[in-house]
Amino acid sequence: MQHTPSRPVIPGWRLIISDAGRFWAFRTHLFPRAAVRAGAQSAVDADTFDEIQAIVAEQEETARTALVEEVTS
C-alpha cells in the first residue's frame, strides 16, 4: 500500500499550491457584504503554508469583527 502525503488544509478555504510553491487560498463561500466592506478578502496568497494560515485567520477575524459590529449597531 502506497502512502499518499497529506496535503495542507484550511477548513472553509480552497488551497492551491502553484508550480512555483506559492500558496493561494480561496474562501469556499464569499464573506457577507459587511465583512467585505470592512476589508475581508476571499482570495489571498503567501509564500508559505504558515503565512497563508495567518493571513486566512486575519481575514476571518476581520469578518467576525465586522459582523459583530453590524449586529450591535
Side-chain angles (χ1 to χ4, degrees), residues 28-40:
T28 54
H29 300 287
L30 296 177
F31 285 117
R33 285 187 190 145
V36 173
R37 283 192 301 268

Side-chain angles (χ1 to χ4, degrees), residues 17-41:
I17 306 169
S18 74
D19 291 341
R22 188 147 180 89
F23 289 80
W24 295 82
F26 302 89
R27 198 161 193 275
T28 54
H29 300 287
L30 296 177
F31 285 117
R33 285 187 190 145
V36 173
R37 283 192 301 268
Q41 297 177 16

